[in-house]
Amino acid sequence: MVRSYSKKGSDKLRAQVDEYISKQGNNTFNYKQVAHAIGATTPINQRAVAMYLAELAFDGDILETAPGRYKAPSRSSYATGTFVRRSNGKNSVIIDDDEEAIFVAERNSMHALNGDRVSVTIAARRRGAEPEAEVVEILERKPQVFIGTLKVDKHFAYLLTDSKYLASDIFIPKGKLKGGETGDKAVVKITEWTDEAKNPKGEVVDILGKKGENNAEINAIMAEFGLPYVYPEAVEKAAKKIESGITEEVVAKRLDMRGVTTFTIDPKDAKDFDDALSIRRLEDGKWEIGVHIADVTHYVKPDSIIDKEAQKRATSVYLVDRVVPMLPEHLCNGICSLRPDEDKLTFSCIFKMDDNAKVLDSKISRTVIRSNRRFAYEEAQEVIDSGKGDYAEELATLNRLAKILRKERYENGSVEFDRVEVRFDIDEKGHPTGVYFKESKDANKLIEEFMLLANKTVAQAIGAPQGKKKPKAFVYRVHDQPDPGKLADLSTLSRTFGYKVKSSGSAREVNKSINRMLSEVKGKGEENFLSTLAIRSMAKAIYTTTNIGHYGLGFEYYTHFTSPIRRFPDMMVHRLLEKYLSGGRSVNVDKLEMQCKHSSDMEQLAANAERASIKYKQVEYMNDHLGEEYEGVISGVTEWGLYVEINENKCEGLVPVRDLADDFYDLDEKNYCLVGRRRNQRYRLGDPIKVRIARANLDKKQLDFAIVDENCGKRGEDAMGKTVSVAQALSATAAKKASQHKGGRRKGKKNK
């Protein structure tokens, strides 16, 4: 129970804070939320709330779960949780009850591995000291392997691990090497780690190849995240037995749309075409637009060996130099792929639209199509731009309708994030020779808009059935509301640059204000900083049976229907559609939810692997440019250094804080900067900076930069408005107070 204080003049406010905290249960909160709830609107009272919360946390009366975020304590000295191991020795356990991370010293870890479920005792919190936990039992071992390089001597062998979760090398008996030799990249599992042993024992699971070879390194990234890097032969063989089977009997049960103009638009190197568009003018002058999706589930039957493998993988993984497919190649690139001039089975959303892109009618049907043309995005864009070429009129119409749909979507609250995607030119050995950026143009956005429309329509058909029908269990793609604290920070920091972002109100109002800021900030010095903060304020989209809508898109109902070749949730949606459209009963919601969670987890792992492969290629590419100097921008600020993104190629590296030798720097988390203790030099998120490529560590996928211009940071005395720094506005509190004391408000100047 939080105690009350009786300081004169503040006892009422503190009592209100105590009452607020007592009602929060397991919820977290920050000082802004508390101040708003109790009506503390003045800067003085808000500061008093912030200081009181900090005081309570220092005394151990409440818990600080993250910088500036608190919750009431609600646990006994015994607890269960998930162990987090770090190679730097900063191990911790995430407690189940309140998700607080508590430090665990190595001597108290029982050699638990990252992800293990553990039971711990929690030492009583001492005044001014962080709490500590001791592992007393390992409840469940998480299956995992470690990736590294073998070192084989005459009598013993070791795996020198690449893992950030394990500081120790793994001892491997000579009989457990599986033919591995010194310099081989290997996958190893731990078989034993006794209490008295410094190093665990293990055995080789697989040899990936020689360290530095492209295939070995890319497969190592997949293995690192527990993703399969080879396709089982038995599944491939089963797939090869499947034939297209488009007989007259099959066609008779479907809507035959082979006579309607149809084409695909995909990346130039794509082989799996899982969506196509058709268009024709109807007799009444309206448009019929068909969104046709490969009918994968016609060929992949539930509980078959192919289905089980697809469900386990849940998604295709798109790495820098390859695609690791969810389905066997015979299906994804062959039978199911909507290749031109071939009859194909599809599941379709067909829309009747007027010239203003208003959907007058829609239907969902199993169809058979025949694509007339395969466009690469670049080819379609050239036709759109020039008005000449194959199907120029059809593309122009689709583009015009898509632009209307997109405009309406943004007006209704969809957030417009337009992030640059980095791509590499790769030689025959997999070595990166150049960097380029994937740009989204009208051809890309055309496809995106009609896919969004189809996904929304399918979700509405099941989630909001007409008449008195009840919704049945279904797979939704949902996106929760932003974190209130992060949204409030975005609003405050945007305002210091002269932009208005709403931190409260309807989703539509908030998102429109974010879109306006993102549009106004383009091309300006603060673009990187504010757009990054906007993205960080957003939640992650997931799959679930509980529909809460898609905040980022501004849709009340949304699902994934349009990519069954590469996503298992889309296959789930196809099967549910087939069942429900034919009058079937609702499926078991608990089982469906488990499949949704697995798909969400695998999607996150695939995204992590993709980022790791990009990072590896960035480091490999920049290794050829050691010593060269580049202009960049500070993209991240941490206690261990500054992350800098190079403008020319978007490669990101670290300026270690140990290399900032001119002073001792502290992290100012609130203002996203490092501050020198002696000279008050400041390096802030969003500041322009010039760096030299100092080191490239391929094992750790890490680039180290050195600052070239030591004057790029801003001195503390300039933070009140004397300099023209892009990032000076980040010192929001100081700037506001200075202007308020002078009786007015002043916008910070900006470098462009």
Side-chain angles (χ1 to χ4, degrees):
M1 183 70 181
V2 178
R3 66 175 180 267
S4 295
Y5 288 77
S6 57
K7 279 188 175 181
K8 190 174 181 180
S10 65
D11 55 341
K12 181 179 179 181
L13 180 143
R14 294 187 171 204
Q16 289 176 310
V17 173
D18 290 345
E19 183 180 2
Y20 174 87
I21 294 172
S22 69
K23 296 177 180 178
Q24 295 313 299
N26 205 38
N27 297 328
T28 60
F29 46 85
N30 59 26
Y31 86 90
K32 293 177 183 177
Q33 291 169 289
V34 178
H36 177 75
I38 67 173
T41 57
T42 67
I44 292 177
N45 283 343
Q46 289 176 346
R47 178 176 172 80
V49 170
M51 292 182 67
Y52 182 43
L53 291 175
E55 184 181 337
L56 291 173
F58 183 81
D59 289 341
D61 292 325
I62 60 175
L63 305 174
E64 188 170 16
T65 60
R69 292 200 69 79
Y70 307 95
K71 70 191 305 296
S74 59
R75 77 163 76 88
S76 66
S77 59
Y78 288 90
T80 58
T82 302
F83 192 80
V84 178
R85 175 171 287 280
R86 290 284 184 252
S87 61
N88 60 8
K90 295 182 179 180
N91 307 325
S92 61
V93 60
I94 308 296
I95 301 301
D96 291 339
D97 289 343
D98 52 31
E99 298 185 353
E100 185 189 6
I102 301 180
F103 174 72
V104 180
E106 182 60 37
R107 65 182 181 278
N108 296 326
S109 71
M110 289 185 68
H111 295 321
L113 297 178
N114 191 64
D116 286 351
R117 299 280 302 148
V118 296
S119 177
V120 298
T121 58
I122 303 170
R125 185 190 295 259
R126 293 172 295 157
R127 183 181 181 90
E130 292 294 318
E132 285 195 32
E134 178 180 353
V135 177
V136 294
E137 184 181 1
I138 297 176
L139 303 174
E140 182 182 347
R141 290 282 189 187
K142 178 186 176 183
Q144 58 190 297
V145 294
F146 295 89
I147 317 301
T149 306
L150 289 177
K151 187 178 187 303
V152 182
D153 291 332
K154 186 175 181 180
H155 300 294
F156 55 86
Y158 283 96
L159 182 81
L160 308 175
T161 63
D162 299 339
S163 176
K164 62 183 178 182
Y165 300 119
L166 190 67
S168 308
D169 298 330
I170 302 173
F171 172 75
I172 303 171
K174 294 291 287 288
K176 300 292 185 181
L177 281 171
K178 209 171 184 178
E181 301 175 349
T182 295
D184 281 346
K185 204 83 175 182
V187 183
V188 169
K189 69 176 180 180
I190 291 177
T191 55
E192 180 185 359
W193 198 354
T194 59
D195 291 342
E196 63 276 5
K198 180 180 178 181
N199 295 81
K201 285 184 180 180
E203 65 179 51
V204 173
V205 175
D206 197 10
I207 301 296
L208 301 175
K210 288 296 179 184
K211 177 181 178 180
E213 291 179 349
N214 185 63
N215 275 342
E217 298 295 345
I218 295 299
N219 286 342
I221 289 171
M222 291 289 286
E224 175 188 350
F225 292 100
L227 297 168
Y229 47 89
V230 293
Y231 214 92
E233 286 187 21
V235 183
E236 292 276 16
K237 287 180 180 178
K240 287 178 181 177
K241 295 178 182 178
I242 298 175
E243 298 179 355
S244 62
I246 305 180
T247 63
E248 291 184 7
E249 183 181 3
V250 170
V251 172
K253 296 178 181 178
R254 294 171 175 259
L255 180 61
D256 190 346
M257 299 191 68
R258 288 176 291 184
V260 183
T261 299
T262 304
F263 41 77
T264 59
I265 308 177
D266 292 278
K268 59 185 177 183
D269 57 350
K271 296 178 181 178
D272 54 341
F273 316 136
D274 55 9
D275 58 80
L277 290 178
S278 69
I279 178 171
R280 64 177 167 185
R281 177 77 89 167
L282 300 174
E283 292 181 359
D284 60 2
K286 303 300 188 291
W287 295 102
E288 180 194 80
I289 311 295
V291 178
H292 307 287
I293 309 302
D295 194 353
V296 174
T297 57
H298 175 83
Y299 299 103
V300 180
K301 302 304 180 184
D303 297 323
S304 65
I305 185 174
I306 301 172
D307 181 59
K308 289 178 180 177
E309 183 67 21
Q311 183 174 342
K312 182 172 71 173
R313 291 173 178 247
T315 181
S316 295
V317 185
Y318 291 80
L319 304 175
V320 166
D321 66 338
R322 70 194 65 183
V323 177
V324 182
M326 180 182 76
L327 293 170
E329 185 176 341
H330 179 66
L331 290 177
C332 63
N333 294 351
I335 286 177
C336 296
S337 185
L338 307 183
R339 299 185 299 199
D341 302 318
E342 296 180 15
D343 290 352
K344 295 291 180 178
L345 302 182
T346 46
F347 220 143
S348 306
C349 275
I350 302 164
F351 302 97
K352 183 177 181 180
M353 306 176 80
D354 63 18
D355 278 324
N356 296 316
K358 182 179 180 181
V359 177
L360 306 174
D361 191 18
S362 66
K363 61 181 175 182
I364 303 168
S365 178
R366 290 193 122 152
T367 54
V368 57
I369 68 164
R370 188 177 182 88
S371 174
N372 302 102
R373 174 74 149 82
R374 177 265 201 268
F375 283 101
Y377 280 121
E378 294 81 1
E379 294 172 327
Q381 188 62 45
E382 187 176 342
V383 173
I384 290 171
D385 290 340
S386 67
K388 298 177 182 179
D390 294 343
Y391 304 106
E393 184 179 346
E394 289 85 349
L395 282 169
T397 300
L398 288 169
N399 186 49
R400 181 177 59 78
L401 295 174
K403 285 185 174 181
I404 296 172
L405 290 172
R406 185 160 58 252
K407 182 181 178 183
E408 290 178 352
R409 180 161 60 83
Y410 290 145
E411 287 177 351
N412 289 329
S414 188
V415 184
E416 184 178 8
F417 287 119
D418 192 13
R419 300 291 286 174
V420 171
E421 293 185 43
V422 179
R423 295 290 185 267
F424 294 89
D425 293 315
I426 305 288
D427 66 18
E428 64 278 0
K429 292 184 178 179
H431 188 79
T433 58
V435 180
Y436 65 95
F437 307 126
K438 180 183 175 184
E439 187 178 359
S440 184
K441 295 186 177 181
D442 285 346
N444 306 75
K445 295 175 180 179
L446 180 161
I447 292 296
E448 177 188 29
E449 213 56 51
F450 283 105
M451 297 307 118
L452 290 175
L453 179 61
N455 286 331
K456 181 175 73 169
T457 300
V458 167
Q460 285 177 328
I462 306 302
Q466 295 181 350
K468 297 182 179 179
K469 295 180 180 179
K470 292 184 178 180
K472 297 177 180 179
F474 200 56
V475 176
Y476 296 99
R477 179 71 169 178
V478 305
H479 185 229
D480 207 349
Q481 296 185 10
D483 177 271
K486 291 180 179 179
L487 196 59
D489 289 343
L490 174 64
S491 176
T492 299
L493 291 165
S494 297
R495 192 160 53 247
T496 64
F497 284 102
Y499 307 104
K500 292 183 180 179
V501 172
K502 295 179 69 68
S503 60
S504 60
S506 70
R508 179 178 177 179
E509 292 171 337
V510 171
N511 288 357
K512 285 183 75 172
S513 72
I514 293 175
N515 284 342
R516 186 165 51 249
M517 181 271 289
L518 291 173
S519 175
E520 293 172 352
V521 82
K522 280 190 189 241
K524 298 180 181 176
E526 61 270 22
E527 177 182 4
N528 184 76
F529 169 59
L530 291 178
S531 61
T532 299
L533 283 187
I535 290 174
R536 289 178 182 175
S537 72
M538 294 290 165
K540 282 187 172 66
I542 62 169
Y543 299 105
T544 180
T545 56
T546 304
N547 182 44
I548 59 170
H550 197 294
Y551 182 91
L553 291 173
F555 290 167
E556 189 176 355
Y557 296 92
Y558 190 66
T559 189
H560 272 171
F561 161 78
T562 53
S563 294
I565 286 178
R566 62 184 179 91
R567 295 187 304 224
F568 193 76
D570 301 57
M571 289 177 59
M572 294 161 62
V573 165
H574 281 217
R575 286 173 177 158
L576 292 171
L577 272 177
E578 179 186 15
K579 183 180 180 68
Y580 295 159
L581 292 177
S582 61
R585 299 177 65 181
S586 184
V587 300
N588 183 286
V589 69
D590 293 333
K591 182 179 178 181
L592 196 62
E593 183 62 34
M594 286 176 60
Q595 293 176 321
C596 286
K597 185 181 185 308
H598 173 70
S599 294
S600 297
D601 292 343
M602 294 303 291
E603 177 189 36
Q604 187 59 55
L605 285 177
N608 292 341
E610 180 184 359
R611 282 193 291 269
S613 77
I614 292 171
K615 187 66 178 177
Y616 182 83
K617 290 301 174 187
Q618 286 179 332
V619 176
E620 192 177 10
Y621 176 73
M622 296 309 295
N623 192 42
D624 296 337
H625 300 271
L626 289 175
E628 295 181 17
E629 297 178 359
Y630 295 88
E631 300 290 340
V633 64
I634 296 176
S635 56
V637 182
T638 69
E639 60 185 6
W640 55 86
L642 305 169
Y643 285 96
V644 176
E645 184 180 86
I646 295 173
N647 298 335
E648 179 182 317
N649 52 39
K650 302 299 179 185
C651 292
E652 187 180 59
L654 176 72
V655 178
V657 71
R658 65 176 180 271
D659 290 351
L660 299 175
D662 63 317
D663 204 342
F664 188 91
Y665 286 83
D666 294 310
L667 174 64
D668 180 352
E669 288 183 291
K670 183 176 181 182
N671 292 311
Y672 300 90
C673 63
L674 286 179
V675 184
R677 291 184 181 179
R678 182 168 51 87
R679 299 170 56 211
N680 214 18
Q681 183 100 339
R682 293 170 181 260
Y683 294 102
R684 295 187 180 91
L685 188 68
D687 269 345
I689 192 168
K690 190 174 185 179
V691 295
R692 181 177 64 254
I693 313 303
R695 292 173 291 274
N697 189 323
L698 284 165
D699 291 336
K700 293 183 178 179
K701 305 179 189 68
Q702 182 174 307
L703 284 172
D704 280 357
F705 296 160
I707 295 176
V708 174
D709 180 8
E710 291 294 341
N711 295 316
C712 66
K714 298 295 176 267
R715 298 294 291 272
E717 60 265 29
D718 292 335
M720 301 296 287
K722 297 178 183 178
T723 67
V724 284
S725 165
V726 168
Q728 79 171 54
L730 295 182
S731 187
T733 305
K736 271 190 173 181
K737 285 186 177 180
S739 62
Q740 286 170 352
H741 284 313
K742 292 182 180 182
R745 298 180 63 189
R746 181 178 65 222
K747 291 183 180 179
K749 297 180 181 178
K750 302 184 279 286
N751 266 341
K752 292 187 179 180

